Amino acid sequence: MKLITFRYEGTERVGVLTADETAVKPLPYADMNTLIERCPLSELSAVAASATEAPIPMTHVTLLAPIPHPRQDLICLGMNYQDHLDEAAQYDAGFSLEKPEASYFSKRVGRTVDPDGMIPSHPGLVERLDYENELAVIIGKPARNIRSQDAADCIFGYTIVNDVSARDVQTQHKQWFFGKSLDGFAPMGPCILTADEVAFPPALRISTRVNGELRQNSCTDHFIYPIADVLEELSSGITLLPGTILSTGTPAGVGMGFDPPRFLHPGDVVECTIEGIGTLTNTVQ
């Protein structure tokens, strides 16, 4: 299933796309966080089948980010593709990893950016604005001390996050939180693809175009740190609650990876595509 958050007649709703994706069937939950928390993935099909509201044509609704207001910061995994690690280290030696453990950081998000929404360029603060197309994993039930072989059972679904980054702020402060947490730096969408639609671990094509030019082109089976291992490690000390979002890293082809670097500017259109989920399109403002 593909789940979306949408606005219809002035009200934000959640629903499931029809098979041809031309309409959305509303579901009886206040928002996506509530749906994830109260409706186990195993019951979702029955809930959708029993929903009484008629499908609404997509031409009549406004598509929003699937989780407009995450309940917690996004958990992000840095340098999870070897080719991106290589290009980042060439841009700035501070990106090099000296030990084999995964690198985690938090991304503060007040409001995620909708599909077709704007990415603010923050003039006066940011000069090196960059994109990072990432597969985001959404946790479906409380997870603590899970084993890697059981990790798939904790996953509700997947979406796309563009981990927008201010490279100058990021490198100036010698940490990643500020440079990745500015307002408008978390475009998300266009939907949540439920985990039962994808074999685990997911091996999905991932690509990014800027103004129509292909920049990133890889596959999520190239992770250095597999999702199952990451969830086992994180849950050994952190309870991952329903709705927790784990952004799994980006492949090579980001702006700082070019020589010379090719950063974003107002008017640029960024299209992040992941197989099975769709395309998240945003314009720099």
Side-chain angles (χ1 to χ4, degrees):
M1 288 186 186
K2 289 185 175 181
L3 301 174
I4 65 169
T5 296
F6 62 96
R7 184 180 295 111
Y8 177 65
E9 295 184 342
T11 302
E12 288 191 13
R13 307 286 302 277
V14 296
V16 57
L17 289 178
T18 56
D20 60 6
E21 300 186 13
T22 63
V24 56
K25 188 173 185 180
L27 297 177
Y29 297 95
D31 53 42
M32 194 66 74
N33 281 318
T34 304
L35 187 158
I36 294 169
E37 183 175 43
R38 298 184 181 178
C39 182
L41 187 56
S42 59
E43 299 177 11
L44 184 57
S45 293
V47 169
S50 63
T52 57
E53 289 190 62
I56 304 169
M58 288 298 292
T59 53
H60 294 179
V61 309
T62 300
L63 183 64
L64 306 178
I67 304 180
H69 297 281
R71 288 178 172 169
Q72 298 175 313
D73 290 0
L74 274 61
I75 301 174
C76 298
L77 184 58
M79 306 300 170
N80 201 20
Y81 293 76
Q82 185 62 49
D83 54 4
H84 176 57
L85 174 57
D86 294 341
E87 70 176 359
Q90 290 181 2
Y91 173 75
D92 188 302
F95 285 109
S96 299
L97 295 180
E98 297 179 356
K99 55 184 181 179
E101 289 81 7
S103 175
Y104 301 112
F105 61 94
S106 173
K107 186 179 183 81
R108 178 62 52 90
V109 180
R111 171 64 162 85
T112 53
V113 178
D114 301 326
D116 295 322
M118 307 299 288
I119 299 172
S121 57
H122 293 277
L125 175 61
V126 178
E127 295 182 356
R128 300 176 183 179
L129 185 67
D130 213 346
Y131 53 89
E132 293 189 6
N133 184 2
E134 305 195 3
L135 177 70
V137 177
I138 301 168
I139 301 300
K141 60 184 180 182
R144 181 66 195 271
N145 292 324
I146 63 172
R147 300 177 300 172
S148 60
Q149 57 264 41
D150 299 323
D153 296 336
C154 302
I155 298 173
F156 182 84
Y158 306 93
T159 191
I160 302 170
V161 165
N162 183 351
D163 180 21
V164 180
S165 306
R167 300 301 185 193
D168 42 353
V169 179
Q170 184 181 3
T171 55
Q172 175 185 355
H173 287 271
K174 301 296 188 287
Q175 47 74 35
W176 297 356
F177 178 80
F178 187 30
K180 288 176 171 282
S181 297
L182 302 183
D183 293 345
F185 273 21
M188 177 188 290
C191 68
I192 294 174
L193 179 69
T194 55
D196 54 359
E197 297 284 348
V198 182
F200 188 83
L204 306 174
R205 297 302 307 177
I206 178 171
S207 62
T208 304
R209 293 181 181 273
V210 177
N211 300 327
E213 177 190 11
L214 183 65
R215 296 278 188 90
Q216 294 183 288
N217 188 22
S218 188
C219 185
T220 61
D221 63 359
H222 294 171
F223 290 156
I224 299 172
Y225 309 103
I227 293 171
D229 293 349
V230 168
L231 294 181
E232 178 176 321
E233 181 170 60
L234 288 174
S235 70
S236 68
I238 301 173
T239 300
L240 305 177
L241 299 175
T244 295
I245 302 166
L246 170 67
S247 201
T248 57
T250 198
V254 300
M256 70 175 178
F258 290 88
D259 186 14
R262 303 173 70 179
F263 295 115
L264 298 173
H265 303 282
D268 287 345
V269 177
V270 184
E271 299 172 281
C272 298
T273 300
I274 297 183
E275 178 185 1
I277 301 174
T279 298
L280 171 66
T281 303
N282 300 98
T283 301
V284 179
Q285 187 175 39

